[in-house]
Amino acid sequence: MAFLYTSVPFASEVFSICSSLSAIKLVFRTTLNEIVPQKYQVYIASKLEEFFSTYINSSSFTFEIEDKWEYVENQTFRAAEVYLPTRLAGLSTQKLLVGSSDLKNPSAKLKLGIPVNTKIIDEFEGIHLVWTLQVAETKKTPFERRYFTLTCKKEFREEVMTDYLTHLLKSAEKIMSHREKLYIFTYTQPHSTWRQAIFQHHTTFETLAIEPKLKTTMIDDLDAFSKGKDFFKSVGRAWKRGYLLYGPPGTGKSSMVAAIANYMNYHIYDLQLQSISDDAELRKILTTTQNRSIILIEDIDCGTDASSKRKTSKTAEVFDPRKGKKADVGISLSGLLNFVDGLWSSCGEEKIIIFTTNHKEKLDPALLRPGRMDIHILMDYCTPFVFKKLVAMYLKIDEYHVLFDPIEKLVLEVSATPAEVTQQLMASKNADIALQGLLEFLETKKMRKEEDPSSPQPSPSVAPLRGDAESSSPATTSNPPPPDSMISSRDPDALFSGGGISFLAGTSPVKFSYGYSSLKGKRATMEDYFETRISDVDGQMVAFFGVFDGHGGARTAEYLKNNLFKNLVTHDDFISDTKKAIVEGFKQTDEEYLIEERGQPKNAGSTASTALLIGDKLIVANVGDSRVVASRNGSAVPLSNDHKPDRSDERQRIEDAGGFIIWAGTWRVGGILAVSRAFGDKQLKPYVIAEPEIQEEDISTLEFIVIASDGLWNVLSNKDAVAIARDIADAETASRKLVQEAYSRGSCDNITCIVVRFEVSS
């Protein structure tokens, strides 16, 4: 007994042995990770798992369910993705995948996802089942292989095949029929995959401003389609429906698509034909879309020559972005027709294909016939009914107003889109002010029409009613407005312009008009964005104008357009201390954008030149080398200073932060960026900042201001711009003239310009 007592080790010896074993394990694991590549580790682990499952646990059987099957998405794999999150309570480990993609409600309840290499337990009629999601690299393709393994006892193999998997498919179908969220998908060619985002467009047929006849026609047609599975099968046709939405920009085509998606509870696949290299890729894309979905092809007349009327003179070349040169083949007309109505269109069911265009007359008649575009819907200019619907929604008044009659009369005489009417109605929550502004806007349009008879006219009475559905026979097409009125903002080669008239209430009433123009110019892509906004903030009318010149892509500029003004006006001190709100709002926007940029491999950024009108004040805030210039008694007055790295104060700030500038064709921060301040540019933080320089002016001392990207200022001096714009009374015409002048002088960049004219009454 004494011998046994003396042989018991001390606690310190036990801890020493454990520490040694832990150290050995840590060294072995580190060595393994550093020496053995990850793909070989996965291979060894899979072989060990296969060995143990075969020889140690020979009573089990495993099904493999891959994400692709016979060229299309494996519906069993898709069903497992939908069904298994309802069984995550049976996880065999303490790991759980959670997340949220609800951008509008960050505090929303978290959703559960399927973790990789984690067992999920399910029970079915006494059968114990184990699911695992596996992801592995493949040698033949650059894409990962994704598949589920489903393990059960061998004796239940047939029951799982016949009963359990049928139960899985039916359960998934039931879950998908009660979708809580809709998604919009976009196709990314480099990865040949669809990427999704939550679709949160709240337009419905109740809020959509369209004629009652069109609303009834659309709802009846959609209802008949959703219940028509047996009918389509009996007549031997694929269960799908095609719609063509055509008409000028701003007439509600995108809102109609949103209303259809929300009514049918369908996901949307937004397909840009420009990104597709050939017919084979087009067929592949079609087969990877889900059932009960909408395939949206916007501006089909701009997407590819295949959609245009056939020409016998020559065959159009198509640019292949993956080869970096023009390819011999692209999307052909036959490939597009087969996609819409051929044999390949039968891959899947309960699908709606929606086309939009501003120029129906440019489409090949073969695309327009029934079976391809079954219903043609003219989305036209505003009508008296649509006007009253918009007034009811935005101003919350249904009763008669003294300005209704003159506005309705002008609506019938001039061509005003619902978007233009909406912009005027949103200028104020005060119905009298908003309607008066709309009346002045329509009167200005009427004056332009009388001065220029070639301006767009409302559709003649013999054409289908505005917003009316017509048959898909090409013989029944209406007379569209002249092509110049149908310039699409998606057309990269078009000069896009517009404008409006409004007023602010300060110590002296300030009436102002504004116009904007934007042109891709000689650049390969369009990276400029702009924003014009008039809103009521805490009872104070505020006008916001901004030009955003992107670099490294357009996504930063687009983000600023969508978020900068919102972050400014929601600041607690926006009215009481506007300059403080601007500085902090710019900083907040930059920080939130950089969070969204995480994971983006490519660096991107944007300048921002903005002007705020509040009462009698004009507050200019600038980041980058876009510029704001004012006219005071005919003289050009710069209201912003370009942020260039060679400015002495900017250079000192960059060097104090630990950065440097060098000459690389021009002075650049870190040898990369030619501006010293910008939003984004995550790789150059903290040297490139988004802190604005702010200047305040009294509106009563100014005639007008010009806000423009450097595509204009590179070829026009401040003095030149003021001289050109000063003699043109109409702000939109002035902005167009400036853009056209910059282009004619050889500007090689995107060109965007906003002109704001002031008229102060005593």
mmCIF file with all atom_site columns, all heavy atoms in Angstrom, residues 551 590 623 653-654 657 669-670 673 675-681 683-691:
data_model
loop_
_atom_site.group_PDB
_atom_site.id
_atom_site.type_symbol
_atom_site.label_atom_id
_atom_site.label_alt_id
_atom_site.label_comp_id
_atom_site.label_asym_id
_atom_site.label_entity_id
_atom_site.label_seq_id
_atom_site.pdbx_PDB_ins_code
_atom_site.Cartn_x
_atom_site.Cartn_y
_atom_site.Cartn_z
_atom_site.occupancy
_atom_site.B_iso_or_equiv
_atom_site.pdbx_formal_charge
_atom_site.auth_seq_id
_atom_site.auth_comp_id
_atom_site.auth_asym_id
_atom_site.auth_atom_id
_atom_site.pdbx_PDB_model_num
ATOM 1   N N   . HIS A 1 551 ? -14.499 56.797 -59.535 1.00 0.00 ? 551 HIS A N   1
ATOM 2   C CA  . HIS A 1 551 ? -13.279 56.269 -60.138 1.00 0.00 ? 551 HIS A CA  1
ATOM 3   C C   . HIS A 1 551 ? -13.086 54.842 -59.636 1.00 0.00 ? 551 HIS A C   1
ATOM 4   O O   . HIS A 1 551 ? -13.449 54.504 -58.521 1.00 0.00 ? 551 HIS A O   1
ATOM 5   C CB  . HIS A 1 551 ? -12.045 57.131 -59.811 1.00 0.00 ? 551 HIS A CB  1
ATOM 6   C CG  . HIS A 1 551 ? -11.926 57.514 -58.367 1.00 0.00 ? 551 HIS A CG  1
ATOM 7   N ND1 . HIS A 1 551 ? -12.345 58.750 -57.888 1.00 0.00 ? 551 HIS A ND1 1
ATOM 8   C CD2 . HIS A 1 551 ? -11.459 56.850 -57.292 1.00 0.00 ? 551 HIS A CD2 1
ATOM 9   C CE1 . HIS A 1 551 ? -12.129 58.818 -56.589 1.00 0.00 ? 551 HIS A CE1 1
ATOM 10  N NE2 . HIS A 1 551 ? -11.579 57.674 -56.194 1.00 0.00 ? 551 HIS A NE2 1
ATOM 11  N N   . ASP A 1 590 ? -19.288 57.995 -45.568 1.00 0.00 ? 590 ASP A N   1
ATOM 12  C CA  . ASP A 1 590 ? -18.035 57.346 -45.964 1.00 0.00 ? 590 ASP A CA  1
ATOM 13  C C   . ASP A 1 590 ? -17.798 56.081 -45.139 1.00 0.00 ? 590 ASP A C   1
ATOM 14  O O   . ASP A 1 590 ? -17.433 55.023 -45.680 1.00 0.00 ? 590 ASP A O   1
ATOM 15  C CB  . ASP A 1 590 ? -16.875 58.319 -45.797 1.00 0.00 ? 590 ASP A CB  1
ATOM 16  C CG  . ASP A 1 590 ? -15.570 57.795 -46.393 1.00 0.00 ? 590 ASP A CG  1
ATOM 17  O OD1 . ASP A 1 590 ? -15.619 57.222 -47.497 1.00 0.00 ? 590 ASP A OD1 1
ATOM 18  O OD2 . ASP A 1 590 ? -14.518 57.941 -45.766 1.00 0.00 ? 590 ASP A OD2 1
ATOM 19  N N   . VAL A 1 623 ? -15.859 67.622 -51.878 1.00 0.00 ? 623 VAL A N   1
ATOM 20  C CA  . VAL A 1 623 ? -14.820 66.627 -51.637 1.00 0.00 ? 623 VAL A CA  1
ATOM 21  C C   . VAL A 1 623 ? -14.327 66.172 -53.003 1.00 0.00 ? 623 VAL A C   1
ATOM 22  O O   . VAL A 1 623 ? -15.098 65.612 -53.788 1.00 0.00 ? 623 VAL A O   1
ATOM 23  C CB  . VAL A 1 623 ? -15.361 65.423 -50.839 1.00 0.00 ? 623 VAL A CB  1
ATOM 24  C CG1 . VAL A 1 623 ? -14.361 64.275 -50.855 1.00 0.00 ? 623 VAL A CG1 1
ATOM 25  C CG2 . VAL A 1 623 ? -15.680 65.815 -49.407 1.00 0.00 ? 623 VAL A CG2 1
ATOM 26  N N   . ARG A 1 653 ? -1.000  67.710 -45.133 1.00 0.00 ? 653 ARG A N   1
ATOM 27  C CA  . ARG A 1 653 ? -1.933  66.860 -44.372 1.00 0.00 ? 653 ARG A CA  1
ATOM 28  C C   . ARG A 1 653 ? -1.671  65.378 -44.638 1.00 0.00 ? 653 ARG A C   1
ATOM 29  O O   . ARG A 1 653 ? -1.663  64.561 -43.717 1.00 0.00 ? 653 ARG A O   1
ATOM 30  C CB  . ARG A 1 653 ? -3.374  67.202 -44.747 1.00 0.00 ? 653 ARG A CB  1
ATOM 31  C CG  . ARG A 1 653 ? -4.424  66.347 -44.054 1.00 0.00 ? 653 ARG A CG  1
ATOM 32  C CD  . ARG A 1 653 ? -5.818  66.631 -44.561 1.00 0.00 ? 653 ARG A CD  1
ATOM 33  N NE  . ARG A 1 653 ? -5.956  66.363 -45.995 1.00 0.00 ? 653 ARG A NE  1
ATOM 34  C CZ  . ARG A 1 653 ? -6.077  65.141 -46.510 1.00 0.00 ? 653 ARG A CZ  1
ATOM 35  N NH1 . ARG A 1 653 ? -6.031  64.075 -45.732 1.00 0.00 ? 653 ARG A NH1 1
ATOM 36  N NH2 . ARG A 1 653 ? -6.215  64.988 -47.812 1.00 0.00 ? 653 ARG A NH2 1
ATOM 37  N N   . ILE A 1 654 ? -1.440  65.025 -45.911 1.00 0.00 ? 654 ILE A N   1
ATOM 38  C CA  . ILE A 1 654 ? -1.194  63.627 -46.281 1.00 0.00 ? 654 ILE A CA  1
ATOM 39  C C   . ILE A 1 654 ? 0.098   63.125 -45.653 1.00 0.00 ? 654 ILE A C   1
ATOM 40  O O   . ILE A 1 654 ? 0.161   62.016 -45.096 1.00 0.00 ? 654 ILE A O   1
ATOM 41  C CB  . ILE A 1 654 ? -1.152  63.490 -47.815 1.00 0.00 ? 654 ILE A CB  1
ATOM 42  C CG1 . ILE A 1 654 ? -2.552  63.748 -48.393 1.00 0.00 ? 654 ILE A CG1 1
ATOM 43  C CG2 . ILE A 1 654 ? -0.656  62.109 -48.234 1.00 0.00 ? 654 ILE A CG2 1
ATOM 44  C CD1 . ILE A 1 654 ? -2.567  63.935 -49.897 1.00 0.00 ? 654 ILE A CD1 1
ATOM 45  N N   . ALA A 1 657 ? -0.095  62.463 -42.013 1.00 0.00 ? 657 ALA A N   1
ATOM 46  C CA  . ALA A 1 657 ? -0.832  61.228 -41.711 1.00 0.00 ? 657 ALA A CA  1
ATOM 47  C C   . ALA A 1 657 ? -0.010  59.983 -42.030 1.00 0.00 ? 657 ALA A C   1
ATOM 48  O O   . ALA A 1 657 ? -0.480  58.865 -41.817 1.00 0.00 ? 657 ALA A O   1
ATOM 49  C CB  . ALA A 1 657 ? -2.151  61.204 -42.484 1.00 0.00 ? 657 ALA A CB  1
ATOM 50  N N   . VAL A 1 669 ? -1.666  60.509 -54.858 1.00 0.00 ? 669 VAL A N   1
ATOM 51  C CA  . VAL A 1 669 ? -1.500  60.018 -53.492 1.00 0.00 ? 669 VAL A CA  1
ATOM 52  C C   . VAL A 1 669 ? -1.055  58.558 -53.566 1.00 0.00 ? 669 VAL A C   1
ATOM 53  O O   . VAL A 1 669 ? -1.729  57.725 -54.164 1.00 0.00 ? 669 VAL A O   1
ATOM 54  C CB  . VAL A 1 669 ? -2.816  60.114 -52.700 1.00 0.00 ? 669 VAL A CB  1
ATOM 55  C CG1 . VAL A 1 669 ? -2.607  59.593 -51.278 1.00 0.00 ? 669 VAL A CG1 1
ATOM 56  C CG2 . VAL A 1 669 ? -3.333  61.541 -52.684 1.00 0.00 ? 669 VAL A CG2 1
ATOM 57  N N   . GLY A 1 670 ? 0.121   58.271 -52.976 1.00 0.00 ? 670 GLY A N   1
ATOM 58  C CA  . GLY A 1 670 ? 0.651   56.916 -53.029 1.00 0.00 ? 670 GLY A CA  1
ATOM 59  C C   . GLY A 1 670 ? 0.947   56.447 -54.429 1.00 0.00 ? 670 GLY A C   1
ATOM 60  O O   . GLY A 1 670 ? 1.063   55.239 -54.673 1.00 0.00 ? 670 GLY A O   1
ATOM 61  N N   . LEU A 1 673 ? -3.811  57.765 -56.742 1.00 0.00 ? 673 LEU A N   1
ATOM 62  C CA  . LEU A 1 673 ? -5.020  58.568 -56.899 1.00 0.00 ? 673 LEU A CA  1
ATOM 63  C C   . LEU A 1 673 ? -4.685  60.032 -57.146 1.00 0.00 ? 673 LEU A C   1
ATOM 64  O O   . LEU A 1 673 ? -3.878  60.624 -56.429 1.00 0.00 ? 673 LEU A O   1
ATOM 65  C CB  . LEU A 1 673 ? -5.900  58.437 -55.644 1.00 0.00 ? 673 LEU A CB  1
ATOM 66  C CG  . LEU A 1 673 ? -7.313  59.006 -55.739 1.00 0.00 ? 673 LEU A CG  1
ATOM 67  C CD1 . LEU A 1 673 ? -8.118  58.282 -56.817 1.00 0.00 ? 673 LEU A CD1 1
ATOM 68  C CD2 . LEU A 1 673 ? -8.021  58.885 -54.393 1.00 0.00 ? 673 LEU A CD2 1
ATOM 69  N N   . VAL A 1 675 ? -6.673  62.627 -56.803 1.00 0.00 ? 675 VAL A N   1
ATOM 70  C CA  . VAL A 1 675 ? -7.363  63.565 -55.912 1.00 0.00 ? 675 VAL A CA  1
ATOM 71  C C   . VAL A 1 675 ? -6.958  63.237 -54.483 1.00 0.00 ? 675 VAL A C   1
ATOM 72  O O   . VAL A 1 675 ? -6.645  62.093 -54.149 1.00 0.00 ? 675 VAL A O   1
ATOM 73  C CB  . VAL A 1 675 ? -8.902  63.492 -56.068 1.00 0.00 ? 675 VAL A CB  1
ATOM 74  C CG1 . VAL A 1 675 ? -9.320  63.999 -57.420 1.00 0.00 ? 675 VAL A CG1 1
ATOM 75  C CG2 . VAL A 1 675 ? -9.421  62.090 -55.837 1.00 0.00 ? 675 VAL A CG2 1
ATOM 76  N N   . SER A 1 676 ? -6.981  64.263 -53.631 1.00 0.00 ? 676 SER A N   1
ATOM 77  C CA  . SER A 1 676 ? -6.512  64.066 -52.257 1.00 0.00 ? 676 SER A CA  1
ATOM 78  C C   . SER A 1 676 ? -7.651  63.828 -51.273 1.00 0.00 ? 676 SER A C   1
ATOM 79  O O   . SER A 1 676 ? -7.409  63.438 -50.132 1.00 0.00 ? 676 SER A O   1
ATOM 80  C CB  . SER A 1 676 ? -5.701  65.289 -51.816 1.00 0.00 ? 676 SER A CB  1
ATOM 81  O OG  . SER A 1 676 ? -6.477  66.475 -51.934 1.00 0.00 ? 676 SER A OG  1
ATOM 82  N N   . ARG A 1 677 ? -8.892  64.087 -51.715 1.00 0.00 ? 677 ARG A N   1
ATOM 83  C CA  . ARG A 1 677 ? -10.051 63.797 -50.871 1.00 0.00 ? 677 ARG A CA  1
ATOM 84  C C   . ARG A 1 677 ? -11.096 63.089 -51.717 1.00 0.00 ? 677 ARG A C   1
ATOM 85  O O   . ARG A 1 677 ? -11.350 63.477 -52.862 1.00 0.00 ? 677 ARG A O   1
ATOM 86  C CB  . ARG A 1 677 ? -10.636 65.070 -50.253 1.00 0.00 ? 677 ARG A CB  1
ATOM 87  C CG  . ARG A 1 677 ? -9.674  65.824 -49.359 1.00 0.00 ? 677 ARG A CG  1
ATOM 88  C CD  . ARG A 1 677 ? -10.373 66.871 -48.511 1.00 0.00 ? 677 ARG A CD  1
ATOM 89  N NE  . ARG A 1 677 ? -9.413  67.711 -47.812 1.00 0.00 ? 677 ARG A NE  1
ATOM 90  C CZ  . ARG A 1 677 ? -9.703  68.558 -46.825 1.00 0.00 ? 677 ARG A CZ  1
ATOM 91  N NH1 . ARG A 1 677 ? -10.977 68.685 -46.439 1.00 0.00 ? 677 ARG A NH1 1
ATOM 92  N NH2 . ARG A 1 677 ? -8.771  69.277 -46.245 1.00 0.00 ? 677 ARG A NH2 1
ATOM 93  N N   . ALA A 1 678 ? -11.714 62.078 -51.130 1.00 0.00 ? 678 ALA A N   1
ATOM 94  C CA  . ALA A 1 678 ? -12.735 61.314 -51.854 1.00 0.00 ? 678 ALA A CA  1
ATOM 95  C C   . ALA A 1 678 ? -13.437 60.393 -50.873 1.00 0.00 ? 678 ALA A C   1
ATOM 96  O O   . ALA A 1 678 ? -12.922 60.069 -49.800 1.00 0.00 ? 678 ALA A O   1
ATOM 97  C CB  . ALA A 1 678 ? -12.112 60.502 -52.985 1.00 0.00 ? 678 ALA A CB  1
ATOM 98  N N   . PHE A 1 679 ? -14.629 59.972 -51.251 1.00 0.00 ? 679 PHE A N   1
ATOM 99  C CA  . PHE A 1 679 ? -15.317 58.914 -50.541 1.00 0.00 ? 679 PHE A CA  1
ATOM 100 C C   . PHE A 1 679 ? -14.747 57.573 -51.025 1.00 0.00 ? 679 PHE A C   1
ATOM 101 O O   . PHE A 1 679 ? -14.370 57.424 -52.198 1.00 0.00 ? 679 PHE A O   1
ATOM 102 C CB  . PHE A 1 679 ? -16.820 58.957 -50.814 1.00 0.00 ? 679 PHE A CB  1
ATOM 103 C CG  . PHE A 1 679 ? -17.537 60.088 -50.139 1.00 0.00 ? 679 PHE A CG  1
ATOM 104 C CD1 . PHE A 1 679 ? -17.554 61.355 -50.706 1.00 0.00 ? 679 PHE A CD1 1
ATOM 105 C CD2 . PHE A 1 679 ? -18.186 59.894 -48.929 1.00 0.00 ? 679 PHE A CD2 1
ATOM 106 C CE1 . PHE A 1 679 ? -18.217 62.404 -50.090 1.00 0.00 ? 679 PHE A CE1 1
ATOM 107 C CE2 . PHE A 1 679 ? -18.853 60.937 -48.305 1.00 0.00 ? 679 PHE A CE2 1
ATOM 108 C CZ  . PHE A 1 679 ? -18.868 62.190 -48.881 1.00 0.00 ? 679 PHE A CZ  1
ATOM 109 N N   . GLY A 1 680 ? -14.743 56.569 -50.134 1.00 0.00 ? 680 GLY A N   1
ATOM 110 C CA  . GLY A 1 680 ? -14.246 55.255 -50.520 1.00 0.00 ? 680 GLY A CA  1
ATOM 111 C C   . GLY A 1 680 ? -12.741 55.198 -50.510 1.00 0.00 ? 680 GLY A C   1
ATOM 112 O O   . GLY A 1 680 ? -12.089 55.701 -49.596 1.00 0.00 ? 680 GLY A O   1
ATOM 113 N N   . ASP A 1 681 ? -12.161 54.555 -51.544 1.00 0.00 ? 681 ASP A N   1
ATOM 114 C CA  . ASP A 1 681 ? -10.704 54.408 -51.656 1.00 0.00 ? 681 ASP A CA  1
ATOM 115 C C   . ASP A 1 681 ? -10.120 53.832 -50.371 1.00 0.00 ? 681 ASP A C   1
ATOM 116 O O   . ASP A 1 681 ? -9.215  54.411 -49.755 1.00 0.00 ? 681 ASP A O   1
ATOM 117 C CB  . ASP A 1 681 ? -10.046 55.741 -52.010 1.00 0.00 ? 681 ASP A CB  1
ATOM 118 C CG  . ASP A 1 681 ? -10.432 56.227 -53.390 1.00 0.00 ? 681 ASP A CG  1
ATOM 119 O OD1 . ASP A 1 681 ? -10.165 55.505 -54.365 1.00 0.00 ? 681 ASP A OD1 1
ATOM 120 O OD2 . ASP A 1 681 ? -11.034 57.313 -53.489 1.00 0.00 ? 681 ASP A OD2 1
ATOM 121 N N   . GLN A 1 683 ? -8.100  51.538 -49.673 1.00 0.00 ? 683 GLN A N   1
ATOM 122 C CA  . GLN A 1 683 ? -6.676  51.241 -49.598 1.00 0.00 ? 683 GLN A CA  1
ATOM 123 C C   . GLN A 1 683 ? -5.829  52.467 -49.280 1.00 0.00 ? 683 GLN A C   1
ATOM 124 O O   . GLN A 1 683 ? -4.667  52.351 -48.921 1.00 0.00 ? 683 GLN A O   1
ATOM 125 C CB  . GLN A 1 683 ? -6.207  50.619 -50.919 1.00 0.00 ? 683 GLN A CB  1
ATOM 126 C CG  . GLN A 1 683 ? -6.861  49.281 -51.222 1.00 0.00 ? 683 GLN A CG  1
ATOM 127 C CD  . GLN A 1 683 ? -6.473  48.742 -52.584 1.00 0.00 ? 683 GLN A CD  1
ATOM 128 O OE1 . GLN A 1 683 ? -5.734  49.398 -53.325 1.00 0.00 ? 683 GLN A OE1 1
ATOM 129 N NE2 . GLN A 1 683 ? -6.965  47.567 -52.930 1.00 0.00 ? 683 GLN A NE2 1
ATOM 130 N N   . LEU A 1 684 ? -6.422  53.653 -49.434 1.00 0.00 ? 684 LEU A N   1
ATOM 131 C CA  . LEU A 1 684 ? -5.660  54.885 -49.216 1.00 0.00 ? 684 LEU A CA  1
ATOM 132 C C   . LEU A 1 684 ? -6.090  55.640 -47.968 1.00 0.00 ? 684 LEU A C   1
ATOM 133 O O   . LEU A 1 684 ? -5.701  56.790 -47.770 1.00 0.00 ? 684 LEU A O   1
ATOM 134 C CB  . LEU A 1 684 ? -5.793  55.795 -50.443 1.00 0.00 ? 684 LEU A CB  1
ATOM 135 C CG  . LEU A 1 684 ? -5.162  55.249 -51.733 1.00 0.00 ? 684 LEU A CG  1
ATOM 136 C CD1 . LEU A 1 684 ? -5.489  56.145 -52.909 1.00 0.00 ? 684 LEU A CD1 1
ATOM 137 C CD2 . LEU A 1 684 ? -3.652  55.095 -51.582 1.00 0.00 ? 684 LEU A CD2 1
ATOM 138 N N   . LYS A 1 685 ? -6.932  55.011 -47.124 1.00 0.00 ? 685 LYS A N   1
ATOM 139 C CA  . LYS A 1 685 ? -7.251  55.629 -45.855 1.00 0.00 ? 685 LYS A CA  1
ATOM 140 C C   . LYS A 1 685 ? -6.054  55.458 -44.932 1.00 0.00 ? 685 LYS A C   1
ATOM 141 O O   . LYS A 1 685 ? -5.393  54.409 -44.972 1.00 0.00 ? 685 LYS A O   1
ATOM 142 C CB  . LYS A 1 685 ? -8.498  54.959 -45.235 1.00 0.00 ? 685 LYS A CB  1
ATOM 143 C CG  . LYS A 1 685 ? -9.762  55.080 -46.094 1.00 0.00 ? 685 LYS A CG  1
ATOM 144 C CD  . LYS A 1 685 ? -10.225 56.508 -46.252 1.00 0.00 ? 685 LYS A CD  1
ATOM 145 C CE  . LYS A 1 685 ? -11.523 56.587 -47.016 1.00 0.00 ? 685 LYS A CE  1
ATOM 146 N NZ  . LYS A 1 685 ? -11.940 57.952 -47.355 1.00 0.00 ? 685 LYS A NZ  1
ATOM 147 N N   . PRO A 1 686 ? -5.704  56.426 -44.065 1.00 0.00 ? 686 PRO A N   1
ATOM 148 C CA  . PRO A 1 686 ? -6.435  57.658 -43.755 1.00 0.00 ? 686 PRO A CA  1
ATOM 149 C C   . PRO A 1 686 ? -5.933  58.880 -44.526 1.00 0.00 ? 686 PRO A C   1
ATOM 150 O O   . PRO A 1 686 ? -6.197  60.006 -44.138 1.00 0.00 ? 686 PRO A O   1
ATOM 151 C CB  . PRO A 1 686 ? -6.147  57.822 -42.265 1.00 0.00 ? 686 PRO A CB  1
ATOM 152 C CG  . PRO A 1 686 ? -4.733  57.333 -42.127 1.00 0.00 ? 686 PRO A CG  1
ATOM 153 C CD  . PRO A 1 686 ? -4.574  56.206 -43.126 1.00 0.00 ? 686 PRO A CD  1
ATOM 154 N N   . TYR A 1 687 ? -5.169  58.642 -45.622 1.00 0.00 ? 687 TYR A N   1
ATOM 155 C CA  . TYR A 1 687 ? -4.586  59.775 -46.334 1.00 0.00 ? 687 TYR A CA  1
ATOM 156 C C   . TYR A 1 687 ? -5.625  60.490 -47.197 1.00 0.00 ? 687 TYR A C   1
ATOM 157 O O   . TYR A 1 687 ? -5.660  61.714 -47.283 1.00 0.00 ? 687 TYR A O   1
ATOM 158 C CB  . TYR A 1 687 ? -3.407  59.308 -47.198 1.00 0.00 ? 687 TYR A CB  1
ATOM 159 C CG  . TYR A 1 687 ? -2.587  58.236 -46.533 1.00 0.00 ? 687 TYR A CG  1
ATOM 160 C CD1 . TYR A 1 687 ? -2.384  56.991 -47.132 1.00 0.00 ? 687 TYR A CD1 1
ATOM 161 C CD2 . TYR A 1 687 ? -2.041  58.432 -45.263 1.00 0.00 ? 687 TYR A CD2 1
ATOM 162 C CE1 . TYR A 1 687 ? -1.659  56.001 -46.514 1.00 0.00 ? 687 TYR A CE1 1
ATOM 163 C CE2 . TYR A 1 687 ? -1.313  57.448 -44.630 1.00 0.00 ? 687 TYR A CE2 1
ATOM 164 C CZ  . TYR A 1 687 ? -1.126  56.225 -45.260 1.00 0.00 ? 687 TYR A CZ  1
ATOM 165 O OH  . TYR A 1 687 ? -0.411  55.235 -44.632 1.00 0.00 ? 687 TYR A OH  1
ATOM 166 N N   . VAL A 1 688 ? -6.472  59.712 -47.843 1.00 0.00 ? 688 VAL A N   1
ATOM 167 C CA  . VAL A 1 688 ? -7.566  60.261 -48.652 1.00 0.00 ? 688 VAL A CA  1
ATOM 168 C C   . VAL A 1 688 ? -8.815  60.275 -47.782 1.00 0.00 ? 688 VAL A C   1
ATOM 169 O O   . VAL A 1 688 ? -9.324  59.228 -47.397 1.00 0.00 ? 688 VAL A O   1
ATOM 170 C CB  . VAL A 1 688 ? -7.792  59.418 -49.923 1.00 0.00 ? 688 VAL A CB  1
ATOM 171 C CG1 . VAL A 1 688 ? -9.002  59.937 -50.692 1.00 0.00 ? 688 VAL A CG1 1
ATOM 172 C CG2 . VAL A 1 688 ? -6.546  59.451 -50.800 1.00 0.00 ? 688 VAL A CG2 1
ATOM 173 N N   . ILE A 1 689 ? -9.319  61.454 -47.462 1.00 0.00 ? 689 ILE A N   1
ATOM 174 C CA  . ILE A 1 689 ? -10.424 61.594 -46.515 1.00 0.00 ? 689 ILE A CA  1
ATOM 175 C C   . ILE A 1 689 ? -11.655 62.158 -47.222 1.00 0.00 ? 689 ILE A C   1
ATOM 176 O O   . ILE A 1 689 ? -11.572 62.679 -48.323 1.00 0.00 ? 689 ILE A O   1
ATOM 177 C CB  . ILE A 1 689 ? -10.022 62.507 -45.337 1.00 0.00 ? 689 ILE A CB  1
ATOM 178 C CG1 . ILE A 1 689 ? -9.671  63.917 -45.843 1.00 0.00 ? 689 ILE A CG1 1
ATOM 179 C CG2 . ILE A 1 689 ? -8.863  61.900 -44.559 1.00 0.00 ? 689 ILE A CG2 1
ATOM 180 C CD1 . ILE A 1 689 ? -9.368  64.906 -44.734 1.00 0.00 ? 689 ILE A CD1 1
ATOM 181 N N   . ALA A 1 690 ? -12.790 62.025 -46.553 1.00 0.00 ? 690 ALA A N   1
ATOM 182 C CA  . ALA A 1 690 ? -14.049 62.531 -47.104 1.00 0.00 ? 690 ALA A CA  1
ATOM 183 C C   . ALA A 1 690 ? -14.556 63.737 -46.322 1.00 0.00 ? 690 ALA A C   1
ATOM 184 O O   . ALA A 1 690 ? -15.753 64.008 -46.301 1.00 0.00 ? 690 ALA A O   1
ATOM 185 C CB  . ALA A 1 690 ? -15.100 61.426 -47.114 1.00 0.00 ? 690 ALA A CB  1
ATOM 186 N N   . GLU A 1 691 ? -13.642 64.462 -45.684 1.00 0.00 ? 691 GLU A N   1
ATOM 187 C CA  . GLU A 1 691 ? -14.036 65.670 -44.950 1.00 0.00 ? 691 GLU A CA  1
ATOM 188 C C   . GLU A 1 691 ? -14.226 66.822 -45.931 1.00 0.00 ? 691 GLU A C   1
ATOM 189 O O   . GLU A 1 691 ? -13.313 67.177 -46.670 1.00 0.00 ? 691 GLU A O   1
ATOM 190 C CB  . GLU A 1 691 ? -12.967 66.030 -43.918 1.00 0.00 ? 691 GLU A CB  1
ATOM 191 C CG  . GLU A 1 691 ? -13.321 67.268 -43.108 1.00 0.00 ? 691 GLU A CG  1
ATOM 192 C CD  . GLU A 1 691 ? -12.264 67.607 -42.069 1.00 0.00 ? 691 GLU A CD  1
ATOM 193 O OE1 . GLU A 1 691 ? -11.479 66.708 -41.700 1.00 0.00 ? 691 GLU A OE1 1
ATOM 194 O OE2 . GLU A 1 691 ? -12.208 68.773 -41.645 1.00 0.00 ? 691 GLU A OE2 1
#
